Amino acid sequence: MNILENDKLIIESKNSGAELTRIYSKDLKKEILWNGDSTHWSRHSPILFPIVGRLKDNKTYIEDKFYNMSQHGFARDMDFEIIYNDNTSITYRLISSDETKKLYPYSFELLIKYTIINNSINTNWIVLNKDTKDMYFSIGAHPAFNIYDDLCNYYLEFKSRDIVKRISLEGPYFNSVKEVYNLNNLRLEPKIFEKDALIYTNIDSINLKSNKSKDYININFKDFPLVGIWTPYYKDTNSTAPFVCIEPWFGLADSVNSDKIYTNKAYINKLKPLESFNSLYTITIEKE
């Protein structure tokens, strides 16, 4: 594990998937990030690239050829190299290879940078098109935050822009899209995750709060098109895992009526040759 530390936080990350694996608050003496217990979910905060969600039948048509790719893409299961590391930040890099081109035909460079500033963690993404043609991709975050009490004691506060829409799922694929009015807060309970993730557009930040605590987590992802909110739901007991994922996305699963053409995916991103994509989201441990 690779460790960054200041007087407020300890964060750990690893080369495999460039995944953030631990956030510890010294002030609160509390683990913030899910520990990866495979009883519920073996990951902590995987990087989703070059797809978010699932492809129809795990297949997509790119550059006149079909490619097979599992849910959320391959980056989360590949080894990144560290290209920079100091007391406050670490930067990982994944470069396209013969292995990645069996799954995804483009030449690319993906950089993931973590920086600690006081009681915040900045996550920077840079995607560079190293190809001679336009490159299409999706990218997303999937951090899981610990729930220390009954889920029903927790709620979300939203800061939104423009008109918020709710994207509903049918199985692993998106189906209907409807406008949502007055989405200021949402009380959490197991039943709302019965059909998998809640997905919204035009949200800039979310606070994860508990009725029984003055500390809370703020996830700021201004100008991201989508956010997913998820925890595993167990129908037999009407219960969930002891964490909630708040997932800023630049991409979406295939629709139920997908034609499997990659460039037709909803919320797909395009880069011209040698063009780069840059984005940032921030996790902050706050106290009222």
Side-chain angles (χ1 to χ4, degrees), residues 52 125 137-140 223-225 248-252 267 269 277 279:
V52 170
W125 300 329
F137 71 97
S138 298
I139 190 167
D223 297 327
F224 278 61
W249 295 340
F250 280 89
L252 185 62
Y267 296 96
N269 306 279
F277 164 93
S279 193

Side-chain angles (χ1 to χ4, degrees), residues 29-47:
K29 296 180 174 56
K30 184 183 287 188
E31 297 287 351
I32 305 299
L33 205 64
W34 171 244
N35 64 15
D37 180 353
S38 60
T39 303
H40 298 286
W41 190 54
S42 61
R43 301 181 189 266
H44 313 265
S45 181
I47 306 297

Side-chain angles (χ1 to χ4, degrees), residues 70-88:
S70 59
Q71 186 176 28
H72 295 321
F74 53 77
R76 62 182 185 166
D77 296 315
M78 303 203 80
D79 286 332
F80 286 63
E81 62 174 326
I82 297 172
I83 61 169
Y84 183 80
N85 191 10
D86 63 15
N87 292 330
T88 61

Side-chain angles (χ1 to χ4, degrees), residues 228-247:
I229 301 159
W230 173 79
T231 187
Y233 174 73
Y234 307 121
K235 184 177 180 180
D236 290 347
T237 56
N238 186 36
S239 63
T240 61
F243 64 83
V244 170
C245 295
I246 297 175
E247 312 171 35

Side-chain angles (χ1 to χ4, degrees), residues 10 15 42 53 64 69 76 80 117 137 205 209 230 235 283:
I10 300 172
N15 293 63
S42 61
D64 301 322
M69 216 182 309
R76 62 182 185 166
F80 286 63
I117 304 171
F137 71 97
S205 74
K209 291 187 170 183
W230 173 79
K235 184 177 180 180
I283 298 167

Side-chain angles (χ1 to χ4, degrees), residues 126-165:
I126 298 175
V127 183
L128 177 63
N129 181 3
K130 306 275 291 209
D131 221 311
T132 56
K133 55 185 176 289
D134 290 347
M135 169 183 160
Y136 294 81
F137 71 97
S138 298
I139 190 167
H142 204 313
F145 302 103
N146 285 322
I147 294 294
Y148 282 98
D149 199 350
D150 189 325
L151 182 70
C152 294
N153 290 324
Y154 284 81
Y155 61 98
L156 304 178
E157 291 180 341
F158 297 88
K159 181 179 179 182
S160 60
R161 63 185 186 275
D162 303 324
I163 296 171
V164 176
K165 295 181 179 180

Side-chain angles (χ1 to χ4, degrees), residues 52 141-142 151 154-156 158 164-171 174 176 180 183 185-201 203 206 221 225-233 240 244-249 251-252:
V52 170
H142 204 313
L151 182 70
Y154 284 81
Y155 61 98
L156 304 178
F158 297 88
V164 176
K165 295 181 179 180
R166 166 82 186 273
I167 298 174
S168 297
L169 295 173
E170 185 177 318
F174 88 84
S176 61
V180 179
L183 184 67
N185 57 68
L186 176 68
R187 186 173 69 86
L188 298 180
E189 56 181 334
K191 202 74 172 175
I192 65 174
F193 297 104
E194 187 176 16
K195 294 185 178 180
D196 211 324
L198 311 176
I199 304 171
Y200 297 103
T201 69
I203 304 293
I206 293 177
F221 43 96
L226 297 161
V227 63
I229 301 159
W230 173 79
T231 187
Y233 174 73
T240 61
V244 170
C245 295
I246 297 175
E247 312 171 35
W249 295 340
L252 185 62

